[in-house]
Amino acid sequence: MAMSKRKRAQYIRYGQYGLLVVVAGLVAVLADWGQIRRAFFNTDIAASMFPNIITVALKNTILYTALGFGFGLALGLVLALMKLSTVAPYRWIATVYIEFFRGVPALLVFIGIYYGVPIAFQVQFPALTTVMLALGSVGAAYMAETIRAGIQAVPKGQVEAARSLGMSASRATITIVIPQAFRIILPPLTNELILLTKDSSLIYILGLFREQYELTKFGRETLSRSPSLTPILIAGLCYLIITLPLGYLSRYLERRTGGKKVSVL
Amino acid sequence: MSGAAVEITGLCKSFGPLEVLKGIDLTVLPGEVVCIIGPSGSGKSTMLRCVNILEEPTAGKVVVNGTELTDPDVDIDSARTKIGMVFQSFNLFSHLSVINNLTVAQRKVLKRGEKEAQEKALHNLERVGLSDKVNAMPAQLSGGQQQRVAIARALSMDPEVMLFDEPTSALDPELVGDVLGVMRQLADEGMTMLIVTHEMQFAREVADKVIFMDGGYVVEEGPAADVIGNPQEDRTKSFLARVLDPIHHGPSDPE
Ligand SMILES: Nc1ncnc2c1ncn2[C@@H]1O[C@H](COP(=O)(O)OP(=O)(O)OP(=O)(O)O)[C@@H](O)[C@H]1O
Ligand SMILES: [Mg+2]
């Protein structure tokens, strides 16, 4: 009389589907769809956001991220090489930098560079420079560790082959090790790019001109004129336009290099 | 000084407390092929790597074509361009195509023009029988092909001496012949070669001189026919017995 295990599992699954249908049905009947549609997707507000959300906000988000990523990558590479240096003080400096910038909130770095630096040094960076420095110096701390791991993952035989052909240590690093290291770390670097894309929203705290708005600031600003979740939803979708493909790219690269890592000696 | 291609005197090398080479003397004449044999851990690779200072000798002197490489003031990078090295694990640059593997050091180190480097590379690919693999990536090649590309890469620098560290040990048995064939052809053309190998047949046929190393010393050296065919030292005899007839000998020799 006892039900077989498989049969029971099947009934439980039916039960779960049933519950889902009941809840969905209740929501459909009880919810005020007009209100929900107005709150989340007001077509007039959505329409009013175009084309600026693309031509200004999305463009700026990409621009800020690219600047921060470029600066962070360059600084991260320098930090990684310092961390691998045979000169101990270089390693210490790099370690202190990396631990500091990984340990403090990115927002604090933005505030420090935008408000702190001008007060301390009587220089005011333009917004673009602030984003580049702030996003870059935080990103560099994370990327340095990734790049260092990548450099160390390049097989020792590669350097030996390069040296035996007469390349100097630095020539071998530049020509052989770094290009191979970047191949290895392409997936985590892509993830870093995704994080920076989202962190670029921190520029929100700076005083900006309208044409300097990025997605978050643009969404917030639209919201203040139109009481609806629509601007935030649209801004969020715009982030997904960037981050979703990058996420897929990262996973694709991971699978590819993951399969390849085995064949690397 | 003699006109030796490689002159090693009193070479010692320690890794921390581990003394690997305890005083090696070796002379290689121009055009000579010297095979180095010996049990695992006897220091063969270390000795070979001291010839181009991939390992820094602890003591002793290494002179290659009249340049003392153990001199602290020597330009080791420029000296290494004249010493080709072939590794057990090939070590082709995995991010570069075959042709770029062969041209990168020519261009960056020897400062050869693109055209000259390409011509040199194509010529050497032809020598190792891989003209059809110009644009392949290393991962697309068999082990035997990779090793022949590695030889061509070393040859593209126009070296005066070639070092081989067990070039066929990582290969499937059926691919060993291709690589040995290329090496034999190099020997016939008069290249000076130092070869660490377990291929006794090859050593016998191609080597002008065979060195048997054990425990950080050169135990026996002489013409291949003598050292392999009629060894005098007990350690050489028991090593050869194990290598040539592994089934009928225990894992290690008592003594
Ligand atoms: N970089 C290193 N650091 C520490 N010890 C080392 C290093 N390289 C080699 N050795 C040690 O030196 C000894 C000799 O090694 P070597 O590679 O020269 O032997 P080998 O004769 O080439 O052996 P095999 O036939 O196994 O290649 C071994 O005990 C090895 O563990
Ligand atoms: Mg060895």
Side-chain angles (χ1 to χ4, degrees):
Chain A
M1 211 92 2
M3 252 186 289
S4 76
K5 266 204 169 124
R6 192 181 302 175
K7 200 94 195 166
R8 253 183 57 187
Q10 203 177 8
Y11 282 127
I12 290 175
R13 203 158 50 242
Y14 287 153
Q16 287 170 334
Y17 278 116
L19 183 66
L20 186 67
V21 169
V22 169
V23 171
L26 282 176
V27 168
V29 172
L30 299 178
D32 179 348
W33 282 106
Q35 173 65 24
I36 288 175
R37 200 186 58 75
R38 274 191 302 282
F40 283 96
F41 205 82
N42 182 319
T43 35
D44 292 339
I45 297 175
S48 80
M49 294 175 79
F50 287 87
N52 279 1
I53 189 155
I54 304 292
T55 55
V56 176
L58 182 63
K59 185 208 81 184
N60 279 337
T61 291
I62 292 173
L63 175 68
Y64 297 160
T65 307
L67 282 174
F69 188 74
F71 177 62
L73 199 60
L75 183 58
L77 180 58
V78 172
L79 287 166
L81 292 172
M82 283 172 74
K83 256 216 118 152
L84 293 169
S85 166
T86 48
V87 183
Y90 283 144
R91 294 200 300 270
W92 301 335
I93 295 170
T95 304
V96 168
Y97 180 97
I98 291 167
E99 295 303 332
F100 180 84
F101 279 94
R102 286 204 309 185
V104 303
L107 181 57
L108 190 75
V109 177
F110 268 84
I111 293 174
I113 291 178
Y114 192 67
Y115 298 106
V117 171
I119 294 168
F121 300 102
Q122 276 80 51
V123 284
Q124 178 70 65
F125 298 127
L128 222 51
T129 314
T130 306
V131 196
M132 187 176 88
L133 291 180
L135 272 187
S137 47
V138 173
Y142 288 93
M143 287 192 262
E145 284 296 347
T146 308
I147 296 170
R148 182 192 53 74
I151 289 176
Q152 285 180 321
V154 175
K156 220 168 123 246
Q158 296 285 314
V159 179
E160 291 186 345
R163 296 306 304 272
S164 76
L165 288 165
M167 291 191 201
S168 64
S170 53
R171 166 56 65 199
T173 303
I174 295 168
T175 314
I176 305 300
V177 176
I178 291 179
Q180 290 191 28
F182 273 97
R183 261 152 213 257
I184 296 171
I185 60 173
L186 223 45
L189 276 188
T190 311
N191 282 330
E192 195 54 42
L193 186 55
I194 294 173
L195 292 180
L196 281 187
T197 305
K198 294 188 284 181
D199 279 350
S200 69
S201 65
L202 290 170
I203 199 177
Y204 169 74
I205 59 144
L206 312 188
L208 292 176
F209 299 115
R210 206 166 272 278
E211 63 273 18
Q212 294 175 321
Y213 285 5
E214 44 66 65
L215 286 170
T216 299
K217 186 104 172 170
F218 187 87
R220 171 74 182 89
E221 204 270 340
T222 312
L223 179 65
S224 66
R225 286 186 281 106
S226 23
S228 159
L229 267 173
T230 309
I232 304 304
L233 191 67
I234 302 262
L237 289 175
C238 285
Y239 277 110
L240 292 180
I241 292 176
I242 308 174
T243 54
L244 279 184
L246 283 177
Y248 279 112
L249 178 67
S250 163
R251 259 161 284 159
Y252 166 76
L253 291 170
E254 205 156 89
R255 248 180 294 128
R256 225 190 41 173
T257 54
K260 223 169 95 185
K261 222 174 249 163
V262 186
S263 76
V264 172
L265 307 168
Chain B
M1 278 224 30
S2 63
V6 179
E7 179 104 57
I8 299 173
T9 34
L11 177 66
C12 295
K13 174 66 187 176
S14 302
F15 294 104
L18 180 68
E19 254 187 285
V20 176
L21 303 179
K22 301 170 182 167
I24 305 273
D25 298 302
L26 174 64
T27 304
V28 183
L29 299 175
E32 227 177 8
V33 176
V34 175
C35 282
I36 300 151
I37 61 172
S40 179
S42 58
K44 306 180 299 293
S45 298
T46 306
M47 199 267 266
L48 200 70
R49 292 159 58 85
C50 280
V51 175
N52 65 354
I53 320 292
L54 272 187
E55 300 291 358
E56 190 84 45
T58 318
K61 221 164 123 173
V62 176
V63 179
V64 176
N65 283 312
T67 310
E68 192 198 326
L69 304 188
T70 35
D71 176 352
D73 294 328
V74 81
D75 179 354
I76 190 64
D77 293 332
S78 127
R80 283 191 185 127
T81 61
K82 303 192 190 77
I83 309 172
M85 185 154 200
V86 175
F87 302 84
Q88 183 175 348
S89 50
F90 329 135
N91 295 350
L92 290 183
F93 301 133
S94 56
H95 65 303
L96 298 179
S97 64
V98 165
I99 186 78
N100 288 334
N101 261 278
L102 269 65
T103 56
V104 64
Q106 293 189 64
R107 287 186 285 109
K108 306 273 183 190
V109 179
L110 300 180
K111 308 292 177 200
R112 284 182 184 155
E114 182 67 46
K115 188 157 172 288
E116 189 192 355
Q118 294 255 354
E119 275 167 11
K120 183 65 79 176
L122 293 176
H123 169 68
N124 281 303
L125 274 182
E126 200 181 312
R127 276 171 94 181
V128 301
L130 289 173
S131 297
D132 54 332
K133 300 294 181 189
V134 177
N135 293 312
M137 293 303 284
Q140 299 169 320
L141 302 178
S142 74
Q145 291 170 335
Q146 289 191 50
Q147 193 60 298
R148 284 185 284 156
V149 171
I151 295 173
R153 176 175 69 179
L155 291 175
S156 295
M157 303 295 281
D158 294 323
E160 293 162 350
V161 177
M162 287 283 287
L163 311 175
F164 296 82
D165 189 359
E166 300 197 31
T168 59
S169 294
L171 298 180
D172 290 340
E174 79 270 22
L175 303 175
V176 168
D178 294 342
V179 173
L180 292 182
V182 168
M183 290 168 63
R184 182 191 294 263
Q185 170 198 325
L186 266 183
D188 291 344
E189 289 166 13
M191 176 62 77
T192 310
M193 296 158 77
L194 262 93
I195 307 166
V196 174
T197 186
H198 290 297
E199 299 288 340
M200 293 304 152
Q201 189 60 30
F202 175 82
R204 227 175 158 140
E205 290 172 20
V206 180
D208 298 302
K209 189 156 81 178
V210 170
I211 308 276
F212 173 70
M213 279 180 70
D214 193 13
Y217 293 106
V218 172
V219 174
E220 189 163 353
E221 74 174 276
D226 292 353
V227 177
I228 298 177
N230 183 23
Q232 301 301 307
E233 301 286 333
D234 287 343
R235 281 194 276 176
T236 320
K237 284 180 196 164
S238 76
F239 169 75
L240 285 170
R242 271 179 285 133
V243 171
L244 297 175
D245 193 8
I247 300 169
H248 295 106
H249 291 83
S252 186
D253 56 330
E255 294 293 328

